[in-house]
Every structure is written in C-alpha cells, then in structure tokens.
Amino acid sequence: MLDLFSSVQARVSVSVALGIGVVAATFGYFYRKKLLSSPPKKWVRVGELTDLMIYPIKSCGGIEAKELTCNILGPENGHVRDRVFMIITIEGQGITARSHPKIVLIQPRFEGDMMILSAPEQPEISIDVKKLHQQARGKSVVWGEQVSTVDCGDEVAAWVSRYLINDNVGFRLVFYPDSFSTRDAWGKKKNSKDLETHAGALHDVTSYMLMNEASIEDLNKRLKDPVTSRQFRPNFLVNGRKEYAEDEWEWVRIGNVIFKNIFLCGRCILPNINPESGTRHPEGEPLKTLKTYRMVSDSIKAPILGIHLGVHTPGVISMGDPVYMGVTRD
C-alpha cells in the first residue's frame, strides 16, 4: 500500500503542469479510501472552538484567524498557510526556537501577495509569495528529511541573519510550494501510514495540533508562573469540559470538518520560551512541571499535552464552531 501511495505522489509531482485538478482527485481518493479508516457515525459535543491560529513560518509568530480552510497539508487562508516557511542554516538545515529562541519574535503579516516580516530593532521586509511559486527549487532538511523548497532570496537571508546573529550571512528563509506532503515524517520509526500521510509541509509531526483549555487550566494550577495556549502553538483551542479528555478523542469534528487523532503531542523545550519576550524560563517551566505528571505514553518519552490531527474530510471551520468527538465504541 505504501508503494501505491508513493506512486500516487510521484504522479502528482510530474503532473503539476498537466492538470492539478485530476491529480488532486486521484490523490484524494487514495488518501481517504485507502490510508484512513472510516469516521464514526455517532458524535458527542465536547466544546466549542475558541482560538484559531496559523503559523506561516516554522517557530515564528502566529496569525489569528476567524475562519480557515482545512486541507491535507494544513490550515490555510489564501497565501497564509501553516508552516510553509522555515529558517535554515547555510548548509540547508532547518532551525527552530529550540536553538534560537529569538525566532518567536519574527512576526509575519500578509497584504495581498506580499508577506511582510517584522522583528525587534529591524526594518520591515517584504517577500512576494506569488513569485516564489515560479522559482527554481532546492533541498532543505527538516528533522533529518530532505524536502523540496524555494529559497526566498539574499535580501531576506541577510535580514534574518542580522536579526539572529548580527551578521549578513548565516541563515536563509525557504518556502514549501507544494499542496501535499512529500515527507516520511517518523514513518520509519513509528511504522505509521497516518503519520506519513499527514506529515504536513515543514511541521514537526502532523498538519494540525489541537489543545483543550481545561488541560491548560489544570497545568496552571500547578505552576508558579501561569502560561497561555500560545506557548504551545496549537492551531485549534477548544473549551473542552474535562482536562486531558482530548487524549482519547480518536476522531474530532469541528463544524463539518472531520479530523483523525494521529498522535499524542509529546512536549519539547519550546513551551519554555515566552512568546512575548523570546526568552527561556529560568527554571525550565512549564516543561519541568509537565514531566511530573504527564508522562502518560509508553511510546512517547515526553510529557503529553495536546493531540496531533490529520484531516479526513476537508472544509472550512470558523471561530465558535461546535467541536465533537467521535464515538467509536458502544
């Protein structure tokens, strides 16, 4: 089955110029019918959608949304797509706020075809996203995997380098132009077809991440310095009725869009970085506290908070939409 799916992806890459519509239909058929089990018939309401976020540049600032289209690659709104830009070293290796905390203070915004970047003590700089789709491709590396990317040019490379290391050379910004995943994220390690299918563009694990407000509230009861959901960078925040109930949501429906729970979200050191200051917590919080009571997965050697989702039935979701969990057992 994996060989069949790989051949479908290969045909997609070859056929872009010949007709994306036909290819997308073929890909969608195999994706829905072959690689995913069917969603349940029965649903139970578990809350409402209270926050929608999209993060165009991996590890950089997010953009609030009132409405988003959910496709296999991730949430989008025109040129605003989730984790399709990434900062890399000059050797092509992707970097994140784990190693460079100041990255979280780079803030994108969009005006028409232009993505405009701002950062502390830096002049704004603009990138024509539409033109990037016409540029030659190269290779970048994210979590040990090579991905096809487009370099965003010398001017923005110098801008990023000056901000991060006060030098004109050191880092570059790249763009992921495709509308489907070409990665094998964790596939070999976890032997999961779902993980391979839903690896997203330049995401850590999958195309979507959901968190439950009740879980964050329970964490804050244990912390000296309370945190917000923004430190955990979810796409979806739900005012769920019970803390950590999301661990068991095998299927999630937001409005009419259906998602599958692909993987529990094991937390790294990134939530220790304050998104307002770009600095790490001096005592390693909230990760330190999470480790004391949320090491709940046998296969993930990290504290769990949130769930990674893959979209099964694409569509549009909006703030305030009802959120349901699928009932898979009588």
Side-chain angles (χ1 to χ4, degrees), residues 88-90 154 157-172:
I88 63 170
T89 64
I90 55 176
D154 292 340
W159 186 93
V160 170
S161 299
R162 284 194 297 270
Y163 172 63
L164 290 179
I165 58 173
N166 198 30
D167 196 330
N168 287 330
V169 178
F171 299 100
R172 303 192 70 84

Side-chain angles (χ1 to χ4, degrees), residues 112-176:
D113 294 333
M114 307 301 291
M115 180 174 73
I116 303 164
L117 303 184
S118 62
E121 300 180 4
Q122 288 279 99
E124 291 188 343
I125 189 169
S126 299
I127 302 161
D128 191 325
V129 180
K130 188 175 182 179
K131 286 184 178 179
L132 292 178
H133 286 276
Q134 305 164 9
Q135 303 299 314
R137 299 188 184 204
K139 292 290 185 182
S140 301
V141 178
V142 55
W143 292 113
E145 297 178 283
Q146 284 197 343
V147 291
S148 178
T149 56
V150 173
D151 190 278
C152 296
D154 292 340
E155 187 179 2
V156 71
W159 186 93
V160 170
S161 299
R162 284 194 297 270
Y163 172 63
L164 290 179
I165 58 173
N166 198 30
D167 196 330
N168 287 330
V169 178
F171 299 100
R172 303 192 70 84
L173 184 69
V174 295
F175 171 64
Y176 185 90

